[in-house]
Amino acid sequence: MSSSHLPSIAGAMPSVTDEASIKLSESVRWNNTAVRAMESGGSVDESMSCLHNALAASADIEAAAPFSCSPLGTTTSVAFPQQLNSSAADPKSCTPDFDMKECPAISLPSVSPSLYIYQRDAYDEGMHTFATPLTICHLLDYHRVVATILYNIGQVYIRRNEDKEALSAFQCALSATKLCFEHDGKIETTDGGGASIIGIYHNVGHIHYRAGRYEEALDVYSEALRLTRAAFGFYHLDVASTLNCIGVLYFHKPNSQCDKAMDLYMQSLDIRRAILGSDHKDVATT
């Protein structure tokens, strides 16, 4: 599929340079094409190919192009991760030049698909709140575009049951997102579209959970809860989803804490009832 046949995105991209704007817009269109392929049941290989193209287009944007990195619309100069320039077509080798603590070499234990962790997935619906690939529908800064592409690459790897690669993609997406929303040591989680820090944490936590790494998963979901409450207060659906996920972890840990899990489930349910009402379908499945 050539870029000339890609669907357009509503609105114009930020005015930086014509070439950079065109490349950013091209990245967005390839990303959205990949998402449509996933949503329509198309080949995951087709989706990954589109995401490769999206990442490659973003790699052509010049370093330090001043895109907006603030929800308030202020402009910040952001440096392009140079390692993407030569390897953008292969997300496995796309390790951006962020803080490398955020993109470490991943070492997951070997987990047999026959283990109970894989057989109980249907009972853990609440852990899939952020399992949907993301379309970019409005203007985003450069690093949020890159983060969203990496986030969607992670979603493709999950659909391939390649959790190690998915975890690496999500951690790099997290680093890209933090570049735009880390101000004075505080991570802002104001919704600006695209991949969110909270959504990325949920996916990282779920991968650890699937691998049986309960303590690591609990640490990640606990941080997601802290960020979500700081951003939205105590009564928000993302808070409810995160509480539910932590409850699942306490229930399934080897030293199961059922009372703790039930308390977290009830907190999640109370929030959903308060926001959605008792008859809403999402309340019935909590």
Side-chain angles (χ1 to χ4, degrees):
M1 184 185 300
S2 67
S3 60
S4 61
H5 291 91
L6 290 172
S8 61
I9 183 172
M13 301 309 292
S15 177
V16 182
T17 67
D18 289 343
E19 183 177 0
S21 239
I22 289 169
K23 287 296 181 181
L24 189 62
S25 184
E26 183 180 340
S27 290
V28 169
R29 292 196 299 270
W30 277 119
N31 176 82
N32 292 352
T33 300
V35 172
R36 278 191 292 275
M38 281 189 274
E39 291 177 340
S40 64
S43 164
V44 291
D45 291 335
E46 176 188 353
S47 295
M48 186 66 88
S49 178
C50 291
L51 291 168
H52 287 179
N53 290 335
L55 210 55
S58 69
D60 291 334
I61 300 172
E62 294 183 2
F67 292 105
S68 171
C69 283
S70 165
L72 300 178
T74 56
T75 299
T76 304
S77 182
V78 295
F80 184 79
Q82 293 297 324
Q83 278 108 321
L84 286 179
N85 287 334
S86 61
S87 57
D90 182 4
K92 291 184 181 181
S93 61
C94 291
T95 308
D97 190 17
F98 306 123
D99 181 352
M100 295 308 295
K101 291 183 293 184
E102 301 293 348
C103 292
I106 307 302
S107 178
L108 291 179
S110 177
V111 179
S112 170
S114 65
L115 288 181
Y116 178 55
I117 189 75
Y118 283 93
Q119 299 172 14
R120 67 177 178 234
D121 197 52
Y123 298 99
D124 300 335
E125 288 184 18
M127 300 193 83
H128 299 290
T129 302
F130 296 95
T132 304
L134 299 174
T135 299
I136 301 172
C137 299
H138 56 275
L139 304 185
L140 292 180
D141 59 78
Y142 162 70
H143 274 138
R144 284 297 289 275
V145 170
V146 173
T148 303
I149 295 167
L150 290 165
Y151 178 94
N152 287 333
I153 287 173
Q155 295 295 344
V156 173
Y157 279 131
I158 284 177
R159 284 158 175 76
R160 288 178 168 177
N161 290 318
E162 298 177 19
D163 283 2
K164 177 179 177 180
E165 290 79 4
L167 183 57
S168 181
F170 286 129
Q171 288 179 318
C172 288
L174 180 63
S175 296
T177 305
K178 283 182 177 181
L179 280 178
C180 282
F181 289 95
E182 196 162 25
H183 301 287
D184 300 323
K186 178 183 177 182
I187 298 173
E188 296 185 29
T189 52
T190 303
D191 183 22
S196 71
I197 290 175
I198 295 167
I200 296 168
Y201 271 125
H202 268 251
N203 279 277
V204 171
H206 192 234
I207 289 172
H208 284 309
Y209 163 69
R210 279 165 52 90
R213 298 162 62 103
Y214 299 101
E215 293 305 323
E216 289 91 336
L218 185 58
D219 287 345
V220 172
Y221 278 117
S222 296
E223 178 65 6
L225 180 62
R226 184 188 71 80
L227 290 170
T228 308
R229 282 175 166 169
F232 306 120
F234 278 64
Y235 275 78
H236 189 276
L237 291 177
D238 288 351
V239 174
S241 295
T242 309
L243 288 168
N244 183 83
C245 292
I246 296 174
V248 170
L249 289 173
Y250 276 109
F251 185 81
H252 288 308
K253 285 173 64 176
N255 55 336
S256 179
Q257 296 176 249
C258 295
D259 290 344
K260 177 71 171 177
M262 186 58 64
D263 179 61
L264 290 160
Y265 292 149
M266 292 308 299
Q267 289 182 52
S268 174
L269 181 60
D270 287 344
I271 293 171
R272 289 181 182 276
R273 280 176 174 162
I275 296 172
L276 301 173
S278 298
D279 296 329
H280 195 279
K281 62 181 181 65
D282 288 344
V283 172
T285 58
T286 300

